[in-house]
């Protein structure tokens, strides 16, 4: 199989890249080359900015592919560019959408590919929906061979998956745990969530590549494991070897008092109970099973981060914000008790 990935080094795509290289796929990555030093030796790099359409067009002028996958498309304009570049050059075009595009609030916590798409809380999700709409029109009107893939919360060895964190990533929450500081969990921590290790996602994704039955289809790829947010944070604390000191805070309150887009990320996503039905994926990719349990995967992630100081990016502003939120709750409680 000959495949081209636009991106290929991110949380989701890096595991797919590794697994395909082990399987002997003729794989090309089109990116700016900022992470190319960590790539397998048999992966081919096309170094360019995908937004430089003329240059990319010249570089791929004489090339065709079995599969082209765009991991970094977030707006319909990105897909319009991809269509101009790859129409007639690939047997399958795969777009990475998002499970956050599913309706909020959900009418049924069990999510299938037939769950309506609508998210009034998060612009990111609405843009993904618009991207899907554009591609479906190209499929219907022009036969563009698309497959839409919807991941949910996928994690790797480089970052701890969390509900609430700052703009510098997740390390500051782990640092608070290690310093025996309280950490914020949105809501009461009992809503269900799904974490998927990127190596499991990769297995499902590769099974859809070159799969004639996946053309024109939308497919979600997640683990079947459901966890409460309390269980997720307990597993993280356990991997760090510390006791969890949790402070539960209303998602609405967090969204109202944060400079970050917690309204989109919480109200439009993580505050909702989600349980994914992966029956469609398993029909298309017989034998698919997500095998990395979260408590096992997060131990690998924590061990890697603790061993690599470069991944320990501090966030003093977020740390101060956490203390302010917790102090405000303590003050409000004290005023009521008095």
């Amino acid at each position: 199989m000959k495949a081209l990935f636009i991106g290929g080094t991110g949380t989701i795509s890096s595991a797919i890249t590794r697994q395909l290289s082990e399987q002997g796929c003729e794989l090309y990555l089109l990116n700016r080359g900022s992470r190319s030093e960590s790539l397998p030796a048999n992966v081919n790099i096309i170094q360019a900015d995908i937004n430089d359409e003329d240059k990319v067009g010249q570089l791929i002028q004489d090339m065709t592919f079995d599969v082209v996958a765009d991991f970094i498309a977030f707006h319909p304009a990105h897909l319009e560019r991809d269509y101009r570049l790859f129409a007639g050059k690939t047997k399958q075009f795969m777009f990475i959408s998002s499970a956050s595009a599913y309706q909020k609030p959900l009418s049924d916590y069990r999510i299938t590919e037939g769950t309506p798409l609508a998210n009034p809380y998060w612009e990111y999700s609405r843009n993904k929906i618009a991207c899907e709409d554009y591609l479906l029109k190209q499929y219907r009107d022009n036969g563009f061979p698309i497959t839409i893939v919807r991941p949910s919360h996928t994690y790797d060895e480089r970052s701890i998956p969390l509900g609430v964190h700052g703009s510098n990533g997740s390390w500051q929450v782990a640092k608070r745990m290690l310093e025996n500081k309280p950490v914020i969990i949105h809501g009461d921590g009992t809503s269900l969530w799904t974490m998927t290790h990127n190596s499991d996602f990769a297995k499902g994704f590769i099974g859809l590549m070159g799969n004639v039955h996946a053309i024109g289809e939308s497919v979600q790829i997640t683990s079947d494991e459901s966890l409460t947010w309390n269980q997720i944070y307990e597993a993280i604390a356990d991997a760090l070897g510390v006791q969890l000191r949790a402070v539960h805070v209303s998602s609405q309150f967090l969204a109202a008092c944060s400079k970050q887009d917690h309204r989109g990320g919480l109200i439009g996503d993580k505050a909702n109970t989600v349980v994914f039905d992966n029956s469609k994926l398993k029909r298309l990719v017989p034998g698919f099973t997500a095998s990395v349990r979260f408590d096992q995967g997060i131990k690998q992630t924590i061990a890697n981060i603790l061993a690599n100081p470069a991944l320990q990016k501090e966030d003093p502003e977020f740390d101060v914000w956490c203390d302010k939120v917790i102090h405000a709750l303590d003050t409000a409680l004290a005023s009521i008790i008095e």
Side-chain angles (χ1 to χ4, degrees), residues 100 104 119-126 153 162-170 172-173 183-187 193 229 233 249-272 315 317-323 325:
S100 69
K104 304 294 185 303
N119 192 330
Y121 304 102
W122 204 359
E123 184 181 10
Y124 165 82
S125 305
R126 294 194 296 275
H153 204 155
L162 294 164
V164 180
H165 60 78
S167 57
N168 280 356
S170 58
Q172 194 65 44
V173 175
V183 297
I184 294 171
I185 299 177
H186 60 277
W193 195 245
W229 281 103
Y233 276 75
V249 185
S250 158
S251 297
Q252 294 284 358
F253 184 85
L254 292 172
C257 69
S258 173
K259 294 179 182 178
Q260 285 188 264
D261 186 16
H262 279 135
R263 183 174 186 268
L266 289 179
I267 311 303
D269 196 26
K270 297 179 182 68
N272 298 269
D315 193 339
E317 184 178 354
F318 173 74
D319 199 48
V320 169
W321 178 80
C322 289
D323 290 337
V325 170

Side-chain angles (χ1 to χ4, degrees), residues 220-336:
Q220 58 196 24
I221 304 176
T222 77
S223 169
D224 291 322
E225 181 183 23
S226 296
L227 297 162
T228 67
W229 281 103
N230 288 332
Q231 289 173 321
I232 290 167
Y233 276 75
E234 286 284 1
I236 294 168
D238 183 62
L240 288 165
V242 299
Q243 290 292 117
L244 175 65
R245 294 182 59 200
V247 176
H248 295 94
V249 185
S250 158
S251 297
Q252 294 284 358
F253 184 85
L254 292 172
C257 69
S258 173
K259 294 179 182 178
Q260 285 188 264
D261 186 16
H262 279 135
R263 183 174 186 268
L266 289 179
I267 311 303
D269 196 26
K270 297 179 182 68
N272 298 269
T273 281
V274 293
V275 177
F276 294 95
D277 181 344
N278 289 300
S279 299
K280 184 174 184 179
L281 173 64
K282 292 173 182 177
R283 288 196 304 271
L284 292 169
V285 186
F288 169 80
T289 302
S291 57
V292 181
R293 208 172 63 208
F294 181 71
D295 63 320
Q296 299 168 337
I298 198 61
K299 286 179 180 176
Q300 299 169 14
T301 297
I302 295 291
N304 184 60
I305 291 174
L306 292 178
N308 290 277
L311 299 174
Q312 301 170 18
K313 191 173 183 180
E314 297 192 14
D315 193 339
E317 184 178 354
F318 173 74
D319 199 48
V320 169
W321 178 80
C322 289
D323 290 337
K324 285 183 177 179
V325 170
I326 294 168
H327 176 71
L329 290 177
D330 289 342
T331 301
L333 180 60
S335 68
I336 293 171

Side-chain angles (χ1 to χ4, degrees), residues 191-206:
S191 59
L192 294 174
W193 195 245
T194 300
M195 296 288 190
T196 307
H197 195 271
N198 68 343
S199 63
D200 282 331
F201 182 92
K203 292 187 294 185
F205 189 90
I206 290 170

